[in-house]
Every structure is written in C-alpha cells, then in structure tokens.
Amino acid sequence: MSRKILMAAAALALIGSGHAMAFQAEPEAPAAVEASPDTAKPDGTKSDGTTPEERSNTARLNAEQASRSKAENVTYEQEVSAVAQQTAADQARFAEETAAYEAEKARVAAMSAEERMQWEADVAACRAGDVSRCAKPAVPQPQP
C-alpha cells in the first residue's frame, strides 16, 4: 500500500515541477521525418522535449524511489520472516501442550480403569461372601 502512495507522490512531484511531458504520449512525427528519442537539439533538449536538467531530476527521483522500494522490500521480508518464526513457535508450543494434555488424559483414563477393575473385583468378592471387601455403609451426616 505504501509503495502505491510513494509512486503517486513521485508522480505528483514530477507533474508539479513541470514534468508532465513524461506522462503524456509522444506526438507522432511526420512520416518523412523520423525523430529519434536520443537525438539532442543544440540547446540540450531531446526530441521528447526533456532538458538535461529534467532528465537529471528524473534519474535522481527514480534512484530515490528505487532506494525506498528496496528498503521497503527488506522491511517486508523481515516482517514475513518474523511472522513465519512466530507461527512455527506457536505451532510447536501447541503441539507440546496437546501432547501433554493427551498424556494426562491417558494417565487419568488408566487410573480410572484400574480403580474400576479394583471396584468390580471387590463387588464380586463381596457377593461371593468376602465381607471384608464389601463397602462400608455410609454414615448419615447430622443435619444442622
């Protein structure tokens, strides 16, 4: 987005300083006379109407814009790299947390299964007559 703004600003600067010719179509030369854009008139202007000063200013503005664009590209690449690194770190942290959650879930499930098997064995023994493995009767709590 900022690249478009910079390009528009450069275009306005050119237009504002009398460089509108750079944005207009070149008038057609008569068929008998072929104008070469590289031929300079005695006063230094080219057939497209630009003076050496205008060409120098245009070259300077182009170099400035190229420099700004290069800096923006470097900044953009750094931002993309930082986002990629953050994304990788976030994904690694998520994978670690998910693994820890799954491990805890498996531990609780194993503990629960073991307790249930023990309870089922106690119930079977109690029904078979082993009173020591029967559950103790619940003591009613006094009501306040």
Side-chain angles (χ1 to χ4, degrees), residues 2 14 20 29 66 71-72 77 82 88-89 98 104 115 130 132-133:
S2 63
L14 284 174
E72 287 175 1
E77 291 299 327
T98 300
E104 178 63 12
E115 288 173 356
D130 185 356
S132 66
R133 294 192 57 188

Side-chain angles (χ1 to χ4, degrees), residues 24-75:
Q24 296 177 352
E26 196 172 313
E28 289 188 31
V33 179
E34 290 198 26
S36 170
D38 293 334
T39 35
K41 295 179 183 175
D43 64 353
T45 60
K46 287 195 173 186
S47 61
D48 65 358
T50 59
T51 64
E53 180 184 0
E54 291 172 328
R55 288 190 301 278
S56 173
N57 286 338
T58 299
R60 180 183 51 79
L61 290 172
N62 286 343
E64 289 173 4
Q65 178 61 38
S67 176
R68 284 190 300 269
S69 291
K70 186 175 183 178
E72 287 175 1
N73 287 341
V74 167
T75 301

Side-chain angles (χ1 to χ4, degrees), residues 86-142:
Q86 184 62 47
T87 300
D90 290 346
Q91 288 176 340
R93 184 171 39 88
F94 176 77
E96 289 172 8
E97 290 173 359
T98 300
Y101 169 76
E102 292 298 330
E104 178 63 12
K105 202 166 81 169
R107 185 191 70 77
V108 169
M111 184 177 70
S112 182
E114 183 180 322
E115 288 173 356
R116 180 169 181 92
M117 288 185 343
Q118 180 63 43
W119 174 77
E120 287 175 353
D122 289 344
V123 168
C126 179
R127 287 188 179 153
D130 185 356
V131 195
S132 66
R133 294 192 57 188
C134 294
K136 307 294 180 240
V139 177
Q141 297 293 326

